[in-house]
């Protein structure tokens, strides 16, 4: 017997999977065929629902190389199984990125450019007959093809050109001329057509898939069974409900597919100009593109049909489809010389040079006689847009404790049904009931115990909550996550645009001269500053552009430029004769800003402004802002000057490190700390005069490292980022509701701490501990230094400033550490070092960390995963920019951007502030409690009916068809759907709703009601038999008809002779008793405060209950006392205490890891680390601290 060979594909990635190889086995398939026939097809259904069983019972294990069928299992917490068929294709080579000497081969005929893969096979084999074709095994999973690699002995994914790991310079040298038609066709064999194909399934396919759902199969089984018992009315009602449910579901699914198809199909197929080598350009369809093709970006822009790297020219792009940010971004060509060009090309690291699929190229900038060219990097589903569509087409399942507990509870009901099944069979045999009747009645008990209407009733509360959310401007694309919002106990917030205002206001500028700072100036457009290098830097060092006459670009750049009062022009070709062959962006001050000295000068007095050479500056080259480098720079030339200048702006610490030391004021650290302490955002400027010998052509090929050095420090720009009005109130509300809040931002650490204090995330009396980690270097171990901060100075409301003092020497030893409130603050760099070198500290740190600064997008996602690993239910709220990964990964992601990128977030708010978060949590809690109420009600309904039918079976009787119909339609469905209408409570409370159905109070509540129902039904069943007027039923008797209960006849079978023993006193008694029990249980379980509005405010529910009570009392002719609702309160109080004592819950440790960890740390005298201590990494990962 062969051992199972398991391999890992997509190792280390989000979609990592284990894979096993199998071959079909004839004798196993014959056995399965026989089993399918004997079981009436049920075995095939079971194997359809469980793909791993389907493979294992029909195939035998083999190596991956020889496999015909593959079994895939995800390695995440969901452990999903998939089945994939291995296909074989013939190709001239094994690696799509090999040249195979095909470029020297004769060209293939082009045709119409839209031929299929089979045609490519034929043409390639005809042209490459000198090469022996090879057989390549591959399989397709979730719209992605995986190919067999003999060297790796595993399947691999071909993403695109980046698989080759080539340098930026190599892309310029080896890929700038384009591919031959033959080589393009060869690569298309592997990469397929460049198309994100969202196939809209036919109604028939969707119908088959929907109907094969276990729920509908169970309903079909129930309907067949009821029809065999002549229960046609109820069977018809269930069929009618199922048809409506299936039709609604099909319409919804079809609509979603069509919407996604339309969103993807728009502009996905366009005609492009492609280089074919030797400067030949041909028109082709975008579906023909493969990695390595060189395309021309037209001057009037286009929607990108693929991911491509810019190798010539500049583009202005709107990336809102991917980033959620509608601010146009400037993309520059990939470096071809210098150190930057030697780095391997990577899509993530070279985003500023990469044009992504689906993004809109608004306009291009090119040099005289040169075209804007880009090399195709990735196509189809491998592109950024393709991966986003894949995540929508194949989402991860929602993992929530409620649903897992619901399945367990249903299994318990199945167990109860099993007991009833055995009871019915034994009782029927003892009473010599016919075999057909035994089979029907014993199976009927299963359909009674597991209610067919349960899923529909459970969904009602979520649907109502979704409608209420829509009314307050919160839109949801994943309704099942609404229940998750009810369990949120931690919410991460982005800072800029989320907690604070989107834009920044210029507070002032502070110039530096002769190594010292001048006093701050509020107005940068002052006459004394107009002709300074400082203002020239503000006016030129940006990525702004004019689109349809309007300035557009980064909000910070816009504020900075507008503060200068200068004018930006993108002149026509005729106006640029003085600027060499370049067509530059030109900036100049307005006429009234010319200093008086210049205006009075007789040489300049009669000249037009455009002729004043010192004040017109052309931007020759731009090095875009890099979040890794934390800076951007430009090379400019003033009109009439021979030499060029370089201007730089960026993070103050970075800019200062690139400047000559004597130009940086000595008070720079203190001044910077003073501003950042007060929550200002500070940007530093620098300047450098370049050598006169540098020509325009030389500047274009220089690396930014050569330009961004030996700068002269110019000064600081101080921007103010105001907190939104709603922020502080919402955070206070969340804190009062026992919901922890974190800040995750890309901004400066001290600014982030200041904002955290100002908005109340960190309170005035709480200490912040800054962790600064250093990676191992020069034989030194990785280390963490702990700095303590505190806030002794009061907040100044007028200026909105908060003082933060670093305080390493003083430490209040009088107060025990465990009693002091503290928060950790961590930077992205520190987080990366701790994750890699101090894994044992990660969970301890995030347990009390509140501020995460300078965090990269992938680090935000990583942080969410760490928080989830210690059992937090995590919410993430961001403005859509750079937060997409974290929004997708969190249990509940809330995007404040209504752009297309919000498709990655389960929730999108039309209100651009965080007031949506409490609303979402309140509705989530209400929906969660509604789900619990409905589930308990439906469970009790099935148990009550089960008890009634079991008692009636003992006298060989049952409920009538109309009785079942009245109970299930008139009582159960109406009550289940109206009890879900209760809206959320008006405020968030400290208490959180239960997360599990398998908990003491809930189980006790259900068990108490079951026992109460059982006692009353048994008492009623026995008491009616002791009445003087009681008459035992016989087929010829008409016992009930002689009673005065004539209005109830309509609820019983009305045949002249009752051969089913329906018309008897026991039946009528149990019908009325159980009907009142359903209503009583509904009122008891319809929980109101503190998560929902009281039941009496839910008027449809109250009217339904009153109407049904009145109707039942009227048709019963004599009153039966209703069950009092005070039982629930008593049950909750002493029931939970009793169960807590019974299960010894108090002696058990907390179930969630973060609470367990918090208890552990209470007893740890060394945590948090003392001020000014350093924690070193060691081989054993145990840490030691030593004071500095």
């Amino acid at each position: 017997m062969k051992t199972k060979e398991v391999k890992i594909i997509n190792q280390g990635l989000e979609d990592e999977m284990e894979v096993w190889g199998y071959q079909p086995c004839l004798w196993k398939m014959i056995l399965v065929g026989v089993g399918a026939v004997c079981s009436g097809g049920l075995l095939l259904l079971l194997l359809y629902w469980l793909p791993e069983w389907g493979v294992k019972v029909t195939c035998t294990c083999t190596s991956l190389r020889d496999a015909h069928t593959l079994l895939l299992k995800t390695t995440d917490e969901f452990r999903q199984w998939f089945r994939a068929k291995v296909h074989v294709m013939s190709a001239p080579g094994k690696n799509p990125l090999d040249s195979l000497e095909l470029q020297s081969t004769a060209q293939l005929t082009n045709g119409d450019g839209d031929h299929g893969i089979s045609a490519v096979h034929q043409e390639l084999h005809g042209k490459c007959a000198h090469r022996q074709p090879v057989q390549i095994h591959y399989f397709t999973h979730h719209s992605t093809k995986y190919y067999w690699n003999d060297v790796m002995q595993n399947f691999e994914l071909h993403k695109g050109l980046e698989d080759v790991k080539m340098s930026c310079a190599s892309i310029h040298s080896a890929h700038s001329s384009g591919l031959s038609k033959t080589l393009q066709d060869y690569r298309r064999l592997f990469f397929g057509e460049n198309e994100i194909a969202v196939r809209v399934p036919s109604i028939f396919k969707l119908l088959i898939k929907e109907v094969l759902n276990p729920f509908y199969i169970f309903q079909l089984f129930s309907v067949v069974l009821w029809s065999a018992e002549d229960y046609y009315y109820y069977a018809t009602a269930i069929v009618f409900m199922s048809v409506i449910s299936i039709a609604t579901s099909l319409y919804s699914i079809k609509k979603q597919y069509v919407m996604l198809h339309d969103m993807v199909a728009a502009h996905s197929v366009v005609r492009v100009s492609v280089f074919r080598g030797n400067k030949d350009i041909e028109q082709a369809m975008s579906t023909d593109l493969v990695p390595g093709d060189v395309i021309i970006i037209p001057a009037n822009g286009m929607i990108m049909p693929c991911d491509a790297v810019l190798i010539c020219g500049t583009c202005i792009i709107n990336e809102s489809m991917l980033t959620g940010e509608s601010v146009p971004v400037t993309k520059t060509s990939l470096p071809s010389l210098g150190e930057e060009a030697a780095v391997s090309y990577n899509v993530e690291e070279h985003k500023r040079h990469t044009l992504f699929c689906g993004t809109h190229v608004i306009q291009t900038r090119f040099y005289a006689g040169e075209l804007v060219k880009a090399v195709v990097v990735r196509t189809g589903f491998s592109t950024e847009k393709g991966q986003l569509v894949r995540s929508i087409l194949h989402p991860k399942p929602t993992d929530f404790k409620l649903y897992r507990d619901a399945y367990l509870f249903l299994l318990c009901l199945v167990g109860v049904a099993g007991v009833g099944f055995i009871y019915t069979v034994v009782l029927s045999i003892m009473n010599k009931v016919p075999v057909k009747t035994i089979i029907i009645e014993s199976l009927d008990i299963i359909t009674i115990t597991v209610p067919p209407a349960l899923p529909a009733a459970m969904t009602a509360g979520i649907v109502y909550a979704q409608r209420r959310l829509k009314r307050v401007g919160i839109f949801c694309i994943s309704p099942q996550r609404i229940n998750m919002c009810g369990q949120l106990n931690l919410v991460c917030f982005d800072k800029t645009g989320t907690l604070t205002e989107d834009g920044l206001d210029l507070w002032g500028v502070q110039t530096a001269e002769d190594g010292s700072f001048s006093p701050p100036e509020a107005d940068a457009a002052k006459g004394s500053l107009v002709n300074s290098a400082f203002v020239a830097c503000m006016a030129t060092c940006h990525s702004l552009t004019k689109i349809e006459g309007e300035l557009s670009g980064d909000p910070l750049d816009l504020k900075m430029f507008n503060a200068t009062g200068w004018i930006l022009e993108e002149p026509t070709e005729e106006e640029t004769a003085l600027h060499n062959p370049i067509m530059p962006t030109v900036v100049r001050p307005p006429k009234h800003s010319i200093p008086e000295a210049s205006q009075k000068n007789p040489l300049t007095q009669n000249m037009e402004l455009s002729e004043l050479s010192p004040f017109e500056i052309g931007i020759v080259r731009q090095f875009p802002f890099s979040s890794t480098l934390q800076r951007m720079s430009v090379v400019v030339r003033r009109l009439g000057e021979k030499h060029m200048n370089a201007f730089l702006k960026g993070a103050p610490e970075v800019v200062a490190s690139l400047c000559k030391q004597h130009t940086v004021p000595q008070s720079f650290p203190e001044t910077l700390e003073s501003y950042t302490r007060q929550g200002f955002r500070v940007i530093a400027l620098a300047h450098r005069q370049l050598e006169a010998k540098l020509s325009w052509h030389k500047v274009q090929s220089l690396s930014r490292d050569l330009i961004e050095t030996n700068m002269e420090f110019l000064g600081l720009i101080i921007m103010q980022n105001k907190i939104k009005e709603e922020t502080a109130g919402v955070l206070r509300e969340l804190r009062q509701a026992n919901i922890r809040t974190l800040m995750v931002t890309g901004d400066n650490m001290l600014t982030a701490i200041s904002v955290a204090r100002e908005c109340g995330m960190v309170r005035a009396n709480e200490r912040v501990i800054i962790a600064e980690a250093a990676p191992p270097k020069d034989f030194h171990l990785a280390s963490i230094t702990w700095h303590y901060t505190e806030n002794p100075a009061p907040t100044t409301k007028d200026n909105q400033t908060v003082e933060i003092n670093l305080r390493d020497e003083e430490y209040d030893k009088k107060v025990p550490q465990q009693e002091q409130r503290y928060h950790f603050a961590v930077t992205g760099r520190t987080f990366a070092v701790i994750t890699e070198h101090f894994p044992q500290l990660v969970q301890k740190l995030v347990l009390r960390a509140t501020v995460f600064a300078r965090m990269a997008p992938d680090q935000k996602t990583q942080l969410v995963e760490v928080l989830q690993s210690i059992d937090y239910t995590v919410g993430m709220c961001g403005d859509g920019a750079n937060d997409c990964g974290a929004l997708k990964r969190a249990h509940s992601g809330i995007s404040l951007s209504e752009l297309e990128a919000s498709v990655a977030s389960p929730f999108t708010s039309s209100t651009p502030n965080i007031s949506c978060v409490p609303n979402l949590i309140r509705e989530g809690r209400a929906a969660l409690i509604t789900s619990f109420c409905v589930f308990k009600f439906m469970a009790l309904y099935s148990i009550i009916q089960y008890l009634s039918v079991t008692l009636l079976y003992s006298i060989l009787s049952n409920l009538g068809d109309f009785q079942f119909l009245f109970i299930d339609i008139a009582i159960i469905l109406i009550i289940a759907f109206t009890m879900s209408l209760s809206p959320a409570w008006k405020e968030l409370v400290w208490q959180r709703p239960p997360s599990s159905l398998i908990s003491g109070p809930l189980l006790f509540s259900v068990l108490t009601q079951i026992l109460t129902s059982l006692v009353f039904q048994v008492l009623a069943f026995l008491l009616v038999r002791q009445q003087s007027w009681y008459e035992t039923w016989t087929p010829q008797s008409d016992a009930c008809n002689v009673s005065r209960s004539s209005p109830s006849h309509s609820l019983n079978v009305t045949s002249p002779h009752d051969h089913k023993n329906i018309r008897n006193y026991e039946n009528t008694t149990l019908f009325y008793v159980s009907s009142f029990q359903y209503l009583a249980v509904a009122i008891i379980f319809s929980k109101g405060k503190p998560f929902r509005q009281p039941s009496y405010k839910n008027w449809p529910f109250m009217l339904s209950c009153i109407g049904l009570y009145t109707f039942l009392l009227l048709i019963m002719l004599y009153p039966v006392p209703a069950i009092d609702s005070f039982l629930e309160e008593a049950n909750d109080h002493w029931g939970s205490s009793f169960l807590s004592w019974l299960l010894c819950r108090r002696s058990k440790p907390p179930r969630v890891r973060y609470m367990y960890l918090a208890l552990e740390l209470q007893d740890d005298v060394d945590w948090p680390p003392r001020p000014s201590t350093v924690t070193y990494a060691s081989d054993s990962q145990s840490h030691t601290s030593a004071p500095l």
Side-chain angles (χ1 to χ4, degrees), residues 866-1106:
V866 170
L867 291 166
Q868 288 173 336
S869 72
I870 55 173
D871 294 338
Y872 275 112
T873 306
V874 183
M876 174 73 196
C877 183
D879 61 355
N882 301 322
D883 297 320
C884 287
L887 288 170
K888 277 174 61 181
R889 189 71 187 114
H891 290 107
S892 295
I894 310 150
S895 170
L896 301 187
S897 163
E898 290 188 80
L899 299 165
E900 284 176 295
S902 62
V903 79
S905 176
F907 301 96
T908 303
S909 172
S910 58
T911 309
N913 59 61
I914 64 170
S915 61
C916 60
V917 176
N919 288 335
L920 184 58
I921 295 174
R922 284 191 305 107
E923 288 296 348
R925 289 181 171 186
L928 184 59
I929 287 298
T930 299
S931 295
F932 278 113
C933 294
V934 170
F935 193 91
K936 289 194 292 181
F937 172 66
M938 295 300 286
L940 257 296
Y941 141 66
S942 62
I943 293 294
I944 290 169
Q945 197 168 81
Y946 170 80
L947 294 173
S948 302
V949 171
T950 306
L951 287 170
L952 290 173
Y953 275 6
S954 68
I955 60 165
L956 305 182
S957 180
N958 200 351
L959 290 171
D961 197 358
F962 280 116
Q963 289 174 327
F964 274 123
L965 193 65
F966 177 79
I967 291 169
D968 289 304
I969 304 296
I971 297 180
I972 301 306
L973 285 185
I974 290 175
I975 293 299
F977 282 99
T978 55
M979 78 188 299
S980 301
L981 285 168
S982 294
W985 185 241
K986 52 187 178 240
E987 60 186 31
L988 283 176
V989 294
W990 175 270
Q991 180 187 357
R992 271 196 296 271
S995 61
S996 172
L997 281 168
I998 316 297
S999 65
L1002 288 176
L1003 280 179
F1004 193 86
S1005 172
V1006 170
L1007 290 173
T1008 305
Q1009 294 304 322
I1010 289 173
L1011 288 173
T1012 305
S1013 302
L1014 176 62
V1015 168
F1016 274 91
Q1017 285 202 37
V1018 170
L1019 280 174
F1021 184 78
L1022 296 175
L1023 284 172
V1024 75
R1025 299 180 126 198
Q1026 295 175 7
Q1027 302 306 310
S1028 57
W1029 39 261
Y1030 174 77
E1031 180 183 345
T1032 305
W1033 176 88
T1034 62
Q1036 287 75 33
S1037 70
D1038 202 11
C1040 283
N1041 286 346
V1042 299
S1043 71
R1044 292 178 297 164
S1045 304
S1046 57
S1048 66
H1049 294 167
S1050 61
L1051 300 171
N1052 293 326
V1053 176
T1054 55
S1055 57
H1057 295 287
D1058 182 10
H1059 296 285
K1060 289 190 177 183
N1061 191 4
I1062 302 296
R1063 293 188 199 154
N1064 56 64
Y1065 288 114
E1066 290 90 342
N1067 169 290
T1068 305
T1069 302
L1070 289 181
F1071 167 74
Y1072 283 125
V1073 170
S1074 64
S1075 295
F1076 281 113
Q1077 284 180 341
Y1078 299 134
L1079 293 173
V1081 164
I1083 293 169
I1084 290 167
F1085 283 157
S1086 185
K1087 197 172 177 66
K1089 290 197 302 183
F1091 305 115
R1092 300 198 306 168
Q1093 296 282 359
S1095 295
Y1096 60 80
K1097 290 191 176 181
N1098 181 358
W1099 61 266
F1101 175 69
M1102 293 308 296
L1103 284 179
S1104 301
C1105 289
I1106 293 168

Side-chain angles (χ1 to χ4, degrees), residues 19-30:
V19 56
W20 291 267
Y22 287 87
Q23 279 186 335
C25 178
L26 184 60
W27 66 268
K28 283 187 175 185
M29 293 173 76
I30 292 171

Side-chain angles (χ1 to χ4, degrees), residues 627-643:
S627 56
T628 308
L629 300 174
Q630 297 180 25
R631 63 180 186 267
M632 80 161 288
S633 60
V634 290
V635 177
V636 304
R637 185 168 68 183
R638 291 196 180 192
L639 190 63
E641 288 187 357
K642 291 184 179 180
H643 64 81

Side-chain angles (χ1 to χ4, degrees), residues 634-637 641 643-647 687-690:
V634 290
V635 177
V636 304
R637 185 168 68 183
E641 288 187 357
H643 64 81
M644 296 186 190
N645 292 284
F647 289 116
H687 158 261
R688 176 189 170 195
Q689 184 173 309
L690 301 177

Side-chain angles (χ1 to χ4, degrees), residues 129-189:
H130 64 286
R131 297 189 61 88
Q132 185 66 33
V134 292
Q135 301 294 311
I136 300 173
H137 293 238
Y138 72 94
F139 73 93
T140 305
H141 174 69
H142 285 179
S143 310
T144 306
K145 284 185 178 179
Y146 297 84
Y147 293 90
W148 178 254
N149 186 316
D150 278 324
V151 178
M152 293 169 54
Q153 285 293 298
N154 197 358
F155 287 93
E156 66 174 341
L157 168 66
H158 296 308
K159 286 186 178 178
L161 205 60
E162 59 184 319
D163 292 343
V164 187
K165 305 289 183 191
M166 62 174 63
S167 67
C168 299
S170 299
I171 291 178
H172 277 278
S173 60
H175 292 278
S176 58
S177 59
L179 303 177
S180 67
K181 190 70 173 64
T182 311
L183 188 54
Q184 185 197 50
D185 289 338
Y186 166 65
R187 288 189 177 178
R188 202 181 307 119
L189 287 175

Side-chain angles (χ1 to χ4, degrees), residues 181-255:
K181 190 70 173 64
T182 311
L183 188 54
Q184 185 197 50
D185 289 338
Y186 166 65
R187 288 189 177 178
R188 202 181 307 119
L189 287 175
F190 293 87
F191 294 108
E193 292 196 338
N194 174 35
E195 173 180 35
I196 303 171
V198 179
R199 312 288 182 203
V200 180
S202 66
I203 290 290
F204 179 74
K205 279 187 179 178
L206 288 174
L207 178 64
I208 295 299
K209 190 174 180 181
E210 188 73 14
V211 167
L212 290 181
N213 185 297
F215 165 63
Y216 290 117
I217 296 297
F218 178 69
Q219 281 201 336
L220 178 64
F221 163 75
S222 303
V223 167
V224 171
L225 185 66
W226 294 328
S227 299
E229 290 185 278
D230 297 334
Y231 289 168
Y232 296 117
Y233 298 105
Y234 187 46
T236 305
I238 288 294
V239 168
F240 179 71
M241 281 178 11
S242 298
V243 168
I244 290 176
S245 176
I246 290 171
T248 307
S249 180
L250 288 182
Y251 172 77
S252 176
I253 294 170
K254 181 85 172 178
K255 185 181 176 183

Side-chain angles (χ1 to χ4, degrees), residues 603-752:
L603 294 174
T604 62
Q605 199 167 10
N606 298 320
M607 294 173 70
E608 291 295 323
L609 181 62
S610 60
E611 295 174 69
L612 293 171
S613 59
F615 294 98
E616 189 167 317
I617 303 173
I619 301 171
V620 177
R621 189 178 180 194
Q622 183 187 94
F623 296 99
F625 177 79
S626 164
S627 56
T628 308
L629 300 174
Q630 297 180 25
R631 63 180 186 267
M632 80 161 288
S633 60
V634 290
V635 177
V636 304
R637 185 168 68 183
R638 291 196 180 192
L639 190 63
E641 288 187 357
K642 291 184 179 180
H643 64 81
M644 296 186 190
N645 292 284
F647 289 116
L648 172 76
K649 77 168 185 189
E653 305 93 331
V654 175
V655 171
S657 68
L658 298 172
C659 291
K660 298 171 184 174
Q661 283 306 304
H662 69 274
T663 65
V664 180
Q666 290 185 350
S667 60
F668 170 77
E670 294 81 7
T671 305
L672 176 61
E673 189 180 325
S674 168
Y675 286 127
T676 53
R677 253 192 249 133
Q678 297 173 58
F680 292 117
R681 183 166 180 183
V682 184
I683 297 162
L685 305 182
H687 158 261
R688 176 189 170 195
Q689 184 173 309
L690 301 177
E691 296 81 1
K693 64 180 180 181
L694 277 179
S695 66
W696 174 83
H697 285 288
K698 285 184 179 177
V699 166
Q700 297 306 316
S701 59
L702 279 178
S703 74
R704 70 189 298 169
D705 291 336
L706 293 174
I707 290 172
E708 295 172 350
T709 184
N710 290 324
M711 309 291 284
E712 294 180 9
F713 191 81
L714 291 176
L716 303 173
I717 300 174
I718 302 102
M719 312 291 284
Q720 190 175 24
N721 192 197
K722 293 179 181 176
I723 288 178
K724 290 182 179 177
E725 289 180 12
E726 304 82 3
T727 297
V730 169
L731 293 179
R732 190 185 313 114
E733 186 179 358
L734 292 177
R735 186 171 64 247
Q736 290 169 352
N738 193 23
I739 295 170
R740 189 179 156 202
T741 54
L742 304 184
M743 182 193 298
V744 189
T745 177
D747 208 344
N748 173 279
M749 168 66 82
L750 292 178
T751 303

